[in-house]
Amino acid sequence: MAPRPAATAATEVEEPQSMPGLHFNEPLSWRAGRPIAVADLLSRLQILSREMQEMEQEEIERDSFTKVAKELVSPNLLSHKDKGVKALTASCLVDILRLCAPNAPFTGQQLRDIFNLIISQILPALADPSHAYNNQHLYVLNSLAQVKSIILLADIPSAETLIINVFKFCFDVLSGPSKTSDGGELQKDVELNMTAMLVCLVDESQALPPDVVDIIVAQFLRTDPRVLRTSGGKNKKNGLVDEKQSTLELRQLPPAYMMATYICNSCPEKMARYFSQYFNEIVIDASKSSSQKAPGKNRKRHSDGLTDSDDEHPGGPNEEGLTELRKVHGLLRELWRACPAVLQNVVPQLEAELSAENVQLRLLATETFGDIISGIGAAGPPPPPIMDPAAYPSNALADPSENTASLNLVTKPSSPQPFPSAHPQAYNNYLGRRHDKSSLIRAAWTIGIGRILTTSAGGAGLSRQDEDQLIGDIGRMLGDADDKVRIAAVKVVASFSFRDLVSKLGRSGGVDDSGSVLATLADRVKDKKHSVREEAMPVLGRVWGVAVSEIAAGNEQIHALLGGAPSKILNTYYTNDKEVMGLLDRVFFEQLLPLRYPPVKAKSTKVTNGHSQGGRESQGETMDPDKIRAERVLLLVRDLDERAKKVFYINQARQSQLSPYVSAFLERCEEYNGGVMDQNEPQIKEHLTRLVQSFAPRLSNPQQASADLWKFTKMHDRRSYQLIRFCMKADSDYRTVVKAIRELSKRVVEISPSATASNSLVDTLTSLIYQIGLIVYNKSHVPAIMEYSRTDDKSLAATAHELLRQISSQSPEVLKAHVQEICKILQDEAPTAKKANGTGAVDNLKACASFASRYPKEIPQDPKFRQAMTSFALYGSPAEAAKYAFSVIWAASDKKEMLVRDLVQKCLKNFEYGGEGFLSRLATLSQLMLLAPNEIDQDDTDAILDIAIKQILTQVRKPSEKPTDAYEWSSTIDTEALAKCWALKILVNRIRSYDDVENLSSVAAPVYNVLTRLIEQQGDLEKDRNTPPSHKSRFRLLAARLYLKLCTQKSHEALLTPSVFNSLAVVAQDSIREVRAGFLQRLKKYLHHQKLPQRYYTIPFLFAFEPIEQIRSDVTTWIKSRAVAFSNVKAKQMGSSTKISTVMESIIARLISLLSHHPDYANEAEDLVDLSRYIIFYLQNVATEDNLSLIYHIAQRVKACRDAISSTPAPDTSSTEADERLYHLSDLAQITIRKYEDLHNWTIQTLPGKARLPNSIFSEIKSHSEAQRIAEHNFLPEDVEAGVENLLKATLRASRSGHGKKRKSEGDADGREAKKVKGLPIRKAAGSGVPKEKKSAPKKITAKTKTPKKRNVAEVKEQGSGERRRSGRAKQAEQSYAERDSEEDDEEMYMIDAAPVGEDEASDEEADSQAGRSDGHEEEASVYEQEEEAESHKEVPAEEEEEEEKEEKEEPAPKPTPKSTSKSVKKKATSSPQARSKQQPKAKARTTRSSKAPRREKGKATMSDDEELSDPPDSE
């Protein structure tokens, strides 16, 4: 029992005289001037202390202590200067309190003096364990704690100061540094006894002083030293945390923190009351600070990301008040971790802040609740998980508890009890913040629930239902309307460890599962805000980079969840956004395929744990970095969808396209010599300017890139030039390329004058090197890729073959060191009549053929290899193997004529359908007719044609059992269809290689007749033949693609009449999706390569009714990209004497003509409104405010012409039906354009010039009166205008509303068809020449989409091409394919000329040049002038693939190099003398610029004398 103060003498109870008393009887006090010697005093005090320590409370006479007690409290001892005297005095005093309890023999004032000595002298001395009297100090502390004498403080009047000092000195002792010289630590007993003493004092005190609460509060902030360093207000007395507190031991918490925690947990009810009062005071003080603000100043805060819309109630705390509020909210976080019971009264107050009007208070409360539930304290959240995509080997699914960072008790999340169970109402209120109107609150809430999930509610755990709800909320926040919330959600996903990401977020589905969290994250890589894309794309790439090891190991769960991530990233290419392109390159080479992967040390590392980034290999096997890296490339390519794979290949193709221009840029930089030039200065500067202007638009920030490239030229660091060349050289291995990139970055930083300039220049050069460097298609990867192609390890053989094929076609020089090995493999796999070749042989043959076309001398010339190629040509399987084998023979052989004749005889000998290798022979004959027609005798040619026509094409060996009008598609193609496809190619290749232009028309007519019938009769040569339905669709697609192939040659394109062109165009609306897509793909490819004239740009606009959203979206993207490209060409031509290119604008005239001959045309109002969809589709993709006037002008001009396609001539004073169709559509186009103008608030201007229309499809109206009548007459029914307006409004409204939604749907898996709102265009039963039956009453047209009329399949059988179109001819055999107009009529006359009306039109070559079809290339700009979508580079199935460019009869012209400027200019000369005279000075100037000026080595060159340009980059 604790002692009590002494009672009066009257009430004292006499103790029995028999009890022993105190034997000590020496004086301890003295009179003034006669002090006791210190030694004697110490001796006496020690004797007294030992005697009393041996006594027990129940066995003594308390009266015997009266004299000693009186002497011990004398000022002589309590204020003695000797520390030993005071220590022994305190020791004796605590013994008297112990022995005399509960009645202490002291007055109140004496007790005050006693505790003042103990608190001010003894307790601080405990901080020094080496003190001479440390044992006495410990004894005093132990006595106060065990006997609980400390409670006497509570009975002393006005003892607040003493109580405050007790807490202050105790916490200072535990938190301060040790005062010993050897740095010894305090004994654990000190902490325990102090804790017990303070707990007793708190428990017995009726009310603690506020400063004591402040002192206890401060201890919980010791886990975050930064708070104390910047703290003020109520805790100023505590000062700064000791320096050692900034580097806390990760495995233990500070003793002062633990003592405060124990106090709070021992007295929860009292401390809860004190903390509630403390929290209220802070909030009230903050409110007072707000009310004291000047009324006219700082009414709103814009810090911490608050905007005017967020801070809708500015009457909140000011900066000082917010600082205090943040401090106290941090305290609440730590209190929940340490002693949640003390917050029972604070949580409701904090919950009230969630509903506060002030955004700042709601934000603080939301953040605090999130951290409290997560068990995150004042030190903040734990460090983010380490997810390094370049790590090798990767332990992606390792338990995160194994991470050493989790041992940090300061940041390790910890919640003693589950918050949702302890405070369910507050938890539900917190969850309701998901609907807060402020984006800042929603963003903070998103971060909070992310932490709750990653920490499992601070380790307390969540129910499955609560966890699923929070996971769903993250997905919803990823799609929030505000970009700040979406960014926060992306960061939340990034905070998950890979294990948690798979086990928790992956529960809702993978990146390909619509609606899942990962799929929504994947959608954010195409977010409309670039800031969101910058966060989302690296996160998605990093996650896949970490997961690739498990994917390689065959983990199906990981593959299903994340296998599609690279596709989502690469598909962002289709956004056509420069910032996205730059971000895509960075993510690709920093996350998906990091340059530093795997670390170089991995080469000598042994596999010991069974894990590797590329899979699990056997123990003890040495890791080959090149093989590991190649495997990662193959895994990435294998899982790409078709669209993403096209992007991957087009990005790799940039290297071969751009490297010549970068080489030219480096040469010009050397000639520029840092600005010091002796000659040709204007030419060099002009050339450099054009090159920089060409490069800059390819980078994310063109303006900054241009400035950086000029800085680079002025640096004149020749070593940097050589490093860039190392990155582009085909003989540079991977390590050389990576070292060159690192050294280049280092040199730029060293040379640049400022850090900002160097960072910008490094970013620009790095982005450029990502486009031109041989990083993926590197020679170091080829051996590993070839090994995978042979072994099919991890099922990567098909991908390896595909990659080798791409390398051979895009960068064949990389294969130089390995082509002999490929040829050896082919030689070993050569087939015979009894043995088939391997499945991968066709890919190796294609790679070898591509290489042979570029480097024929590198192909082996030995007879064994030649015999192997001959065997492939006769027996190769599939038939494409034979085609490629002959291409190798033709390219590499020096005895072509002999080999051709021998091969022809072998192919023709005993040929019969179904015979051994007959398909391979047909494929070989096809290539022979293309590449070597002059080496084949006429008799052999006739025999080949006889096989193709009589034995193959005209025979139907498996008649269809279905109706003759059946028409369908099959994913597989049988032998008969394959044979007919090769037979068609034989016929087409014969006329492709026919070099007699004068007789070409007669030779090509039969072939054109066959192709036209296949197109118009839906794949059937004869109406009465029972061709299988699956064959028909194949033949129609092949015929259309062969027509396109033929028309890439100008001589053949001239034979394609407008009527046949119209039939060809309708293939774009075939009822079979595969036919439409295949035709479109080939059309875009040829248009991209500028191999087709302008009129073919009309065909893509027929996809306005395309029911498959994916195809329609691709067409839209492609058209817009072409429109931008032509717009860039126009911008360059402005202000020059060159006629301005108006390709896309002029297409409107051809589109009107095409629609007038469309089989769906009808004059009724409903049908005309339906046809206006084509015009609207055109305007949506082409029209701008700048070119709308020209489009309207051209549409008007159509009404001033007659139709020149119809075979029926028109009299001068009347119009034919074909003419009236033109006039109907011209009026329809004009009214649609005007409505489009009104809805966009644009203005159509009157043009000064006159647009010329093509004579091949339009003719002149000779009668002025007839022209006047037509111009004044409105041919449209009265209901059309309202219908067009409603339709246009509905279309634009759907486009605008679906624009934002589209970003969510763009991540859908490929092949998923959109809902069919509109079917394919209608096919009338009657042909174009039969008028549609008139309706009894006109219907009012509304914006409602017309239901498409389904075509009666029986009608197809009955109608021929002549019945369906007026342009059909009755006698196909007598059909002429030459246009009736001159050659000038075939070209596009769409140029706005500043010359007077009536000036001669431009020549064919000039029109081609304006359209971008010129064969010449300006060295610095040709590859940039016309940006193209990756769609045009799509690979097609082998059985449908057309001959590639390498199969042309002539060797392909080498790519223009920077030294061929003068030649390329000469090629652009036109047939017009005036045009030639204008271009001659320009050619001369370019020739001058192309000549090399002597290199100056003085000036600004920064390379030291001992550096060699040819040295490879040094390793770091």
Side-chain angles (χ1 to χ4, degrees), residues 47 58 178 182 308 338 519 523 579 630 642 781-782 903 943 1020 1069 1189 1199 1244 1514:
I47 294 171
E58 295 80 5
S178 175
D182 58 354
D308 293 338
D523 289 340
E579 290 181 331
E642 286 302 318
H781 300 155
V782 173
L903 197 57
D1020 213 340
Q1069 295 178 318
S1189 299
K1199 202 173 179 181
I1244 295 179
D1514 298 328

Side-chain angles (χ1 to χ4, degrees), residues 590-610:
E590 294 172 9
Q591 308 294 342
L592 298 179
L593 298 176
L595 295 179
R596 55 191 176 90
Y597 175 83
V600 178
K601 294 180 181 179
K603 191 167 186 177
S604 59
T605 303
K606 302 291 184 178
V607 178
T608 58
N609 60 357

Side-chain angles (χ1 to χ4, degrees), residues 1256-1464:
S1256 58
I1257 57 177
F1258 298 107
S1259 61
E1260 179 186 0
I1261 301 178
K1262 297 182 179 180
S1263 172
H1264 177 72
S1265 58
E1266 179 66 12
Q1268 187 76 15
R1269 183 191 68 82
I1270 293 172
E1272 294 175 353
H1273 179 65
N1274 182 12
F1275 288 83
L1276 295 179
E1278 60 181 13
D1279 294 335
V1280 170
E1281 183 173 358
V1284 169
E1285 183 175 6
N1286 294 333
L1287 177 62
L1288 189 55
K1289 288 180 179 179
T1291 303
L1292 294 180
R1293 183 166 54 250
S1295 176
R1296 290 164 182 164
S1297 63
H1299 184 68
K1301 297 178 182 178
K1302 181 180 178 182
R1303 299 198 177 274
K1304 293 185 179 180
S1305 63
E1306 280 174 341
D1308 294 343
D1310 285 356
R1312 186 181 303 149
E1313 296 187 6
K1315 184 178 179 181
K1316 295 185 178 181
V1317 180
K1318 178 74 180 178
L1320 288 175
I1322 312 159
R1323 297 286 189 271
K1324 306 296 188 295
S1328 59
V1330 181
K1332 188 174 179 180
E1333 183 181 355
K1334 293 186 179 180
K1335 300 180 182 179
S1336 57
K1339 294 183 180 180
K1340 187 173 183 180
I1341 309 301
T1342 64
K1344 183 177 179 181
T1345 304
K1346 185 181 73 172
T1347 304
K1349 298 179 182 178
K1350 292 188 177 180
R1351 189 178 181 189
N1352 188 350
V1353 292
E1355 296 172 355
V1356 179
K1357 177 181 178 181
E1358 299 173 1
Q1359 65 178 1
S1361 61
E1363 293 172 331
R1364 294 178 61 221
R1365 296 174 181 81
R1366 290 182 61 88
S1367 58
R1369 268 89 37 200
K1371 297 181 179 180
Q1372 297 288 349
E1374 299 177 0
Q1375 179 178 357
S1376 173
Y1377 290 91
E1379 290 197 35
R1380 62 182 179 85
D1381 299 312
S1382 64
E1383 184 178 358
E1384 180 179 350
D1385 297 334
D1386 299 333
E1387 300 300 333
E1388 314 304 324
M1389 306 303 179
Y1390 292 150
M1391 309 306 166
I1392 299 297
D1393 196 351
V1397 177
E1399 183 177 337
D1400 292 339
E1401 300 177 3
S1403 64
D1404 298 347
E1405 290 79 10
E1406 184 174 356
D1408 282 346
S1409 176
Q1410 296 289 350
R1413 295 177 57 207
S1414 174
D1415 293 334
H1417 299 274
E1418 293 191 22
E1419 59 182 291
E1420 76 281 359
S1422 64
V1423 76
Y1424 304 112
E1425 286 182 347
Q1426 311 216 350
E1427 292 288 345
E1428 175 56 296
E1429 288 302 300
E1431 280 291 339
S1432 60
H1433 296 269
K1434 178 180 179 182
E1435 286 295 323
V1436 295
E1439 68 270 12
E1440 298 179 13
E1441 187 170 11
E1442 282 297 312
E1443 290 79 0
E1444 302 297 332
E1445 294 179 7
K1446 64 181 180 56
E1447 301 166 351
E1448 299 292 343
K1449 181 177 180 180
E1450 296 82 14
E1451 285 291 324
K1455 293 185 178 181
T1457 62
K1459 298 181 180 180
S1460 62
T1461 306
S1462 59
K1463 294 181 180 180
S1464 65

